[in-house]
Amino acid sequence: MNQKSLTFLPSYFSNQAILTYFLLLLICLLAFPNKLPWLWIIFGITAVIGFFYFSNQLSTRWTNLPESNFYSRLFWMSFIIRFTYVIFIYYFYQVKTGRPFEFKAGDSIDYHNIGNWIANALKEGRLIAFLSDSRFPLSDKGFPIWVSLIYLMTFRSIVAVRIMNALLSAWMIIFIYKLSKRNFGEKAARLSAIFSMLLPNFIYYTGLHIKETLMVFLVVAFMERADLMVRSVRNHIQLIIQVIIIGASLFLFRTPLAVTAWFALISALLLSDNRLIQASRKVVYVSWIIIAVLFLFSGQIFSEISETLNERKTNQEYSMSDIAKREGGNNLAKYGSTIVFIPLMLPSPIPTIVDIPNQENTLMLNGAFFTRNVYIFFVVLALAMIVKRKMIRQHILVLIFTFSYLLVLANSGFALSERFHLP
């Protein structure tokens, strides 16, 4: 498989993707004259060309670099791209909204305010008041605490939080490279790392004051460490502890996501090919994981899991109804349900190119949505190859996590939310 894989993204694919985007713009221009939001189209063009053109160029130039040089260039290029975007978008939002937050910011403002409150509480020794406050669910306490720590060290600097986002996102690319190399070989790993480095979605969230960048960093770190643990020929207590600590921290960000990650790990330990992990080591690892799960799935975490399961159908119906009724909403949303969403999980969301009132954040991501709609074809092709070549058990950790999380999304009120698709 690795011997036949490409070492770079061919210019044919990148050129065709870029041309298709411009063709879509032309069609929309003819069908909806005076309805194209040109500011957001510029963002879209930048995202599409930035992803496809430079994926071709960099994968060609970096294919024969020594691994140490590739590592270094990958990290620093990732960080420079994200740092530049963070500074640009900070002032862009200042000009457009009057404050350094996105359009119609909700969660961002809340995290900023709560971060300030926790910073004051830390200085006054009142952190326990926040941790025990029932108004803030456990699954939403991680990021405000992170923000407060940065605020304490940087005199309440908003841009410092986003620079840390840029740093974590760049570090995450290294984890993606390691995870890909272990599963699919050096050639595929370099391609996936370059794609991830240029992925518009990852870059976009570094410029926001919400938890997604830190949360996805922890997810990827968990998956990479867990994959190494499963594939390691010896039992490493230090590695097991790393996996447990990172996995536990996910419960401070999004409970269903954390449960999915742990489910994927346990499934991988039980179902992985015996050539990857021997039966005796499976017993050791599963014993450690069971102890950790029994400790974690208690108290507030167990309550949040039970509440999520009990309310998933009601939440989805309420969310779809709200989308249908709100100003500028989609009247067809009320018909949304799990059976409708499951086939849409991989390619969604679909880009919005025509101007829609009060949808600036979605319009801004039109290029990012388009790139996903293109590369998802190759994802589906890869999945078909894995099934055809009977390689599922060799990559079961990544596969179970991906499809379990998509199934969770399909049963929620956020089935077509790009923000919730990011992991």
Side-chain angles (χ1 to χ4, degrees):
M1 180 177 178
N2 291 331
Q3 296 301 317
K4 297 180 180 179
S5 58
L6 291 169
T7 59
F8 63 93
L9 177 69
S11 58
Y12 171 82
F13 293 124
S14 59
N15 291 341
Q16 289 299 314
I18 294 170
L19 287 174
T20 300
Y21 181 76
F22 280 99
L23 178 61
L24 288 173
L25 289 181
L26 178 61
I27 292 172
C28 288
L29 181 62
L30 295 175
F32 306 99
N34 304 319
K35 289 289 287 182
L36 291 196
W38 289 108
L39 174 62
W40 307 128
I41 296 303
I42 292 172
F43 272 80
I45 291 172
T46 303
V48 171
I49 293 178
F51 180 79
F52 289 107
Y53 175 77
F54 286 103
S55 289
N56 164 254
Q57 293 295 306
L58 293 179
S59 62
T60 303
R61 295 175 188 174
W62 292 3
T63 185
N64 294 318
L65 283 176
E67 186 175 35
S68 59
N69 288 357
F70 178 79
Y71 246 62
S72 177
R73 292 195 187 189
L74 180 67
F75 176 81
W76 287 111
M77 180 71 78
S78 298
F79 177 69
I80 290 169
I81 291 171
R82 285 150 176 76
F83 178 83
T84 303
Y85 176 79
V86 160
I87 301 302
F88 162 75
I89 207 67
Y90 179 89
Y91 290 104
F92 177 83
Y93 285 141
Q94 283 275 26
V95 171
K96 286 295 183 179
T97 70
R99 54 189 181 179
F101 297 99
E102 69 273 20
F103 298 90
K104 296 177 177 58
D107 289 348
S108 294
I109 301 295
D110 290 340
Y111 287 135
H112 169 65
N113 292 335
I114 298 171
N116 270 320
W117 186 90
I118 299 173
N120 292 331
L122 283 168
K123 291 177 69 175
E124 299 167 6
R126 296 187 292 108
L127 179 60
I128 300 300
F130 169 73
L131 295 175
S132 60
D133 195 328
S134 60
R135 293 176 299 172
F136 305 105
L138 182 66
S139 59
D140 218 15
K141 288 180 177 176
F143 188 67
I145 293 174
W146 171 256
V147 170
S148 71
L149 295 174
I150 297 175
Y151 279 178
L152 281 174
M153 293 184 289
T154 62
F155 305 101
R156 314 299 171 97
S157 172
I158 291 174
V159 74
V161 175
R162 289 141 191 216
I163 291 174
M164 284 302 300
N165 280 347
L167 186 62
L168 289 173
S169 186
W171 188 7
M172 179 188 70
I173 306 306
I174 300 299
F175 280 127
I176 289 175
Y177 169 73
K178 290 180 178 180
L179 180 63
S180 300
K181 181 179 179 179
R182 210 174 293 124
N183 278 268
F184 304 108
E186 179 70 26
K187 297 175 183 178
R190 293 198 178 199
L191 275 174
S192 64
I194 291 170
F195 293 157
S196 301
M197 177 181 73
L198 298 172
L199 197 69
N201 310 69
F202 287 158
I203 298 168
Y204 169 78
Y205 281 98
T206 59
L208 299 183
H209 228 66
I210 54 180
K211 63 185 176 183
E212 265 60 30
T213 295
L214 175 56
M215 181 181 71
V216 174
F217 166 79
L218 291 172
V219 169
V220 175
F222 176 84
M223 297 296 290
E224 192 277 331
R225 295 286 86 187
D227 183 76
L228 178 59
M229 185 182 79
V230 170
R231 295 174 184 274
S232 179
V233 295
R234 292 181 298 174
N235 297 325
H236 294 283
I237 300 301
Q238 183 179 1
L239 190 57
I240 296 172
I241 293 172
Q242 289 175 1
V243 169
I244 291 173
I245 291 174
I246 298 172
S249 70
L250 289 174
F251 286 100
L252 297 173
F253 292 86
R254 189 171 293 160
T255 302
L257 180 63
V259 173
T260 301
W262 281 90
F263 173 69
L265 173 56
I266 294 171
S267 299
L269 290 172
L270 294 175
L271 303 176
S272 287
D273 195 317
N274 288 333
R275 288 173 293 180
L276 292 180
I277 177 170
Q278 296 176 347
S280 60
R281 290 178 54 243
K282 286 185 180 183
V283 173
V284 174
Y285 285 153
V286 170
S287 299
W288 273 87
I289 297 303
I290 288 175
I291 293 171
V293 168
L294 290 174
F295 176 77
L296 290 170
F297 282 35
S298 60
Q300 191 172 352
I301 291 177
F302 185 78
S303 298
E304 289 191 15
I305 294 172
S306 299
E307 184 178 346
T308 300
L309 290 172
N310 292 333
E311 296 181 356
R312 66 187 187 279
K313 188 175 188 299
T314 302
N315 288 341
Q316 186 176 71
E317 291 174 353
Y318 175 81
S319 179
M320 293 302 102
S321 176
D322 182 60
I323 292 172
K325 293 177 182 177
R326 73 174 60 155
E327 182 181 356
N330 188 336
N331 292 329
L332 298 178
K334 61 186 177 183
Y335 300 111
S337 63
T338 301
I339 196 67
V340 173
F341 291 141
I342 284 179
L344 300 175
M345 282 296 94
L346 281 173
S348 67
I350 306 300
T352 299
I353 297 177
V354 178
D355 193 17
I356 298 175
N358 303 316
Q359 294 292 325
E360 292 90 348
N361 296 318
T362 300
L363 289 166
M364 187 176 176
L365 280 166
N366 74 87
F369 292 173
F370 174 82
T371 60
R372 174 176 172 135
N373 297 155
V374 173
Y375 66 67
I376 202 64
F377 167 79
F378 297 98
V379 173
V380 173
L381 181 62
L383 291 171
M385 291 171 64
I386 287 173
V387 172
K388 182 178 179 180
R389 298 179 181 183
K390 299 179 180 179
M391 300 171 66
I392 292 176
R393 294 181 67 189
Q394 296 178 37
H395 312 293
I396 199 163
L397 177 68
V398 176
L399 294 174
I400 286 187
F401 171 79
T402 301
F403 287 101
S404 296
Y405 185 66
L406 288 174
L407 185 60
V408 169
L409 274 187
N411 281 277
S412 74
F414 309 100
L416 302 182
S417 170
E418 192 276 339
R419 178 177 169 184
F420 283 80
H421 272 267
L422 193 66

PDB file of all heavy atoms in Angstrom, residues 165-177:
ATOM      1  N   ASN A 165      -3.397  29.566  21.039  1.00  0.00           N
ATOM      2  CA  ASN A 165      -4.138  28.730  20.098  1.00  0.00           C
ATOM      3  C   ASN A 165      -3.257  28.358  18.911  1.00  0.00           C
ATOM      4  O   ASN A 165      -3.230  27.205  18.458  1.00  0.00           O
ATOM      5  CB  ASN A 165      -5.374  29.469  19.582  1.00  0.00           C
ATOM      6  CG  ASN A 165      -6.530  29.442  20.553  1.00  0.00           C
ATOM      7  OD1 ASN A 165      -6.531  28.688  21.515  1.00  0.00           O
ATOM      8  ND2 ASN A 165      -7.527  30.276  20.305  1.00  0.00           N
ATOM      9  N   ALA A 166      -2.539  29.362  18.377  1.00  0.00           N
ATOM     10  CA  ALA A 166      -1.665  29.137  17.220  1.00  0.00           C
ATOM     11  C   ALA A 166      -0.564  28.130  17.569  1.00  0.00           C
ATOM     12  O   ALA A 166      -0.237  27.242  16.767  1.00  0.00           O
ATOM     13  CB  ALA A 166      -1.060  30.460  16.762  1.00  0.00           C
ATOM     14  N   LEU A 167      -0.008  28.262  18.764  1.00  0.00           N
ATOM     15  CA  LEU A 167       1.062  27.360  19.195  1.00  0.00           C
ATOM     16  C   LEU A 167       0.543  25.930  19.358  1.00  0.00           C
ATOM     17  O   LEU A 167       1.169  24.968  18.892  1.00  0.00           O
ATOM     18  CB  LEU A 167       1.644  27.865  20.509  1.00  0.00           C
ATOM     19  CG  LEU A 167       2.870  27.132  21.051  1.00  0.00           C
ATOM     20  CD1 LEU A 167       4.039  27.252  20.088  1.00  0.00           C
ATOM     21  CD2 LEU A 167       3.255  27.685  22.426  1.00  0.00           C
ATOM     22  N   LEU A 168      -0.613  25.780  20.001  1.00  0.00           N
ATOM     23  CA  LEU A 168      -1.192  24.449  20.199  1.00  0.00           C
ATOM     24  C   LEU A 168      -1.578  23.810  18.868  1.00  0.00           C
ATOM     25  O   LEU A 168      -1.376  22.602  18.666  1.00  0.00           O
ATOM     26  CB  LEU A 168      -2.421  24.544  21.101  1.00  0.00           C
ATOM     27  CG  LEU A 168      -2.164  24.850  22.581  1.00  0.00           C
ATOM     28  CD1 LEU A 168      -3.489  25.070  23.302  1.00  0.00           C
ATOM     29  CD2 LEU A 168      -1.385  23.724  23.243  1.00  0.00           C
ATOM     30  N   SER A 169      -2.137  24.610  17.961  1.00  0.00           N
ATOM     31  CA  SER A 169      -2.545  24.076  16.662  1.00  0.00           C
ATOM     32  C   SER A 169      -1.331  23.591  15.872  1.00  0.00           C
ATOM     33  O   SER A 169      -1.383  22.561  15.192  1.00  0.00           O
ATOM     34  CB  SER A 169      -3.308  25.148  15.880  1.00  0.00           C
ATOM     35  OG  SER A 169      -3.834  24.618  14.678  1.00  0.00           O
ATOM     36  N   ALA A 170      -0.206  24.339  15.956  1.00  0.00           N
ATOM     37  CA  ALA A 170       1.020  23.921  15.268  1.00  0.00           C
ATOM     38  C   ALA A 170       1.560  22.627  15.874  1.00  0.00           C
ATOM     39  O   ALA A 170       2.021  21.731  15.156  1.00  0.00           O
ATOM     40  CB  ALA A 170       2.065  25.030  15.357  1.00  0.00           C
ATOM     41  N   TRP A 171       1.499  22.528  17.184  1.00  0.00           N
ATOM     42  CA  TRP A 171       1.951  21.318  17.877  1.00  0.00           C
ATOM     43  C   TRP A 171       1.067  20.132  17.504  1.00  0.00           C
ATOM     44  O   TRP A 171       1.535  19.006  17.326  1.00  0.00           O
ATOM     45  CB  TRP A 171       1.927  21.572  19.384  1.00  0.00           C
ATOM     46  CG  TRP A 171       2.540  20.505  20.235  1.00  0.00           C
ATOM     47  CD1 TRP A 171       3.229  19.386  19.817  1.00  0.00           C
ATOM     48  CD2 TRP A 171       2.526  20.438  21.663  1.00  0.00           C
ATOM     49  NE1 TRP A 171       3.632  18.635  20.893  1.00  0.00           N
ATOM     50  CE2 TRP A 171       3.219  19.253  22.049  1.00  0.00           C
ATOM     51  CE3 TRP A 171       2.003  21.247  22.664  1.00  0.00           C
ATOM     52  CZ2 TRP A 171       3.384  18.885  23.371  1.00  0.00           C
ATOM     53  CZ3 TRP A 171       2.168  20.873  23.994  1.00  0.00           C
ATOM     54  CH2 TRP A 171       2.853  19.712  24.342  1.00  0.00           C
ATOM     55  N   MET A 172      -0.234  20.398  17.337  1.00  0.00           N
ATOM     56  CA  MET A 172      -1.178  19.350  16.954  1.00  0.00           C
ATOM     57  C   MET A 172      -0.804  18.739  15.605  1.00  0.00           C
ATOM     58  O   MET A 172      -0.967  17.530  15.388  1.00  0.00           O
ATOM     59  CB  MET A 172      -2.597  19.921  16.885  1.00  0.00           C
ATOM     60  CG  MET A 172      -3.660  18.913  16.459  1.00  0.00           C
ATOM     61  SD  MET A 172      -5.256  19.708  16.175  1.00  0.00           S
ATOM     62  CE  MET A 172      -4.914  20.643  14.681  1.00  0.00           C
ATOM     63  N   ILE A 173      -0.283  19.557  14.695  1.00  0.00           N
ATOM     64  CA  ILE A 173       0.107  19.054  13.370  1.00  0.00           C
ATOM     65  C   ILE A 173       1.205  18.003  13.509  1.00  0.00           C
ATOM     66  O   ILE A 173       1.237  17.016  12.770  1.00  0.00           O
ATOM     67  CB  ILE A 173       0.565  20.211  12.459  1.00  0.00           C
ATOM     68  CG1 ILE A 173      -0.504  21.311  12.381  1.00  0.00           C
ATOM     69  CG2 ILE A 173       0.885  19.688  11.059  1.00  0.00           C
ATOM     70  CD1 ILE A 173      -1.867  20.835  11.970  1.00  0.00           C
ATOM     71  N   ILE A 174       2.100  18.198  14.468  1.00  0.00           N
ATOM     72  CA  ILE A 174       3.155  17.209  14.714  1.00  0.00           C
ATOM     73  C   ILE A 174       2.547  15.893  15.189  1.00  0.00           C
ATOM     74  O   ILE A 174       2.957  14.804  14.757  1.00  0.00           O
ATOM     75  CB  ILE A 174       4.163  17.741  15.753  1.00  0.00           C
ATOM     76  CG1 ILE A 174       4.827  19.039  15.258  1.00  0.00           C
ATOM     77  CG2 ILE A 174       5.212  16.676  16.069  1.00  0.00           C
ATOM     78  CD1 ILE A 174       5.619  18.882  13.988  1.00  0.00           C
ATOM     79  N   PHE A 175       1.551  15.968  16.071  1.00  0.00           N
ATOM     80  CA  PHE A 175       0.865  14.757  16.525  1.00  0.00           C
ATOM     81  C   PHE A 175       0.181  14.047  15.356  1.00  0.00           C
ATOM     82  O   PHE A 175       0.182  12.812  15.270  1.00  0.00           O
ATOM     83  CB  PHE A 175      -0.169  15.097  17.600  1.00  0.00           C
ATOM     84  CG  PHE A 175       0.410  15.289  18.973  1.00  0.00           C
ATOM     85  CD1 PHE A 175       0.155  16.442  19.697  1.00  0.00           C
ATOM     86  CD2 PHE A 175       1.205  14.313  19.550  1.00  0.00           C
ATOM     87  CE1 PHE A 175       0.680  16.624  20.966  1.00  0.00           C
ATOM     88  CE2 PHE A 175       1.740  14.482  20.821  1.00  0.00           C
ATOM     89  CZ  PHE A 175       1.480  15.640  21.533  1.00  0.00           C
ATOM     90  N   ILE A 176      -0.433  14.820  14.468  1.00  0.00           N
ATOM     91  CA  ILE A 176      -1.099  14.232  13.295  1.00  0.00           C
ATOM     92  C   ILE A 176      -0.074  13.503  12.421  1.00  0.00           C
ATOM     93  O   ILE A 176      -0.331  12.397  11.916  1.00  0.00           O
ATOM     94  CB  ILE A 176      -1.835  15.324  12.491  1.00  0.00           C
ATOM     95  CG1 ILE A 176      -3.074  15.801  13.270  1.00  0.00           C
ATOM     96  CG2 ILE A 176      -2.235  14.821  11.102  1.00  0.00           C
ATOM     97  CD1 ILE A 176      -3.800  16.960  12.632  1.00  0.00           C
ATOM     98  N   TYR A 177       1.091  14.124  12.249  1.00  0.00           N
ATOM     99  CA  TYR A 177       2.154  13.490  11.458  1.00  0.00           C
ATOM    100  C   TYR A 177       2.568  12.151  12.076  1.00  0.00           C
ATOM    101  O   TYR A 177       2.682  11.130  11.388  1.00  0.00           O
ATOM    102  CB  TYR A 177       3.352  14.436  11.366  1.00  0.00           C
ATOM    103  CG  TYR A 177       4.604  13.793  10.811  1.00  0.00           C
ATOM    104  CD1 TYR A 177       4.703  13.474   9.452  1.00  0.00           C
ATOM    105  CD2 TYR A 177       5.686  13.491  11.639  1.00  0.00           C
ATOM    106  CE1 TYR A 177       5.844  12.871   8.935  1.00  0.00           C
ATOM    107  CE2 TYR A 177       6.821  12.892  11.128  1.00  0.00           C
ATOM    108  CZ  TYR A 177       6.895  12.583   9.780  1.00  0.00           C
ATOM    109  OH  TYR A 177       8.027  11.983   9.275  1.00  0.00           O
TER     110      TYR A 177
END
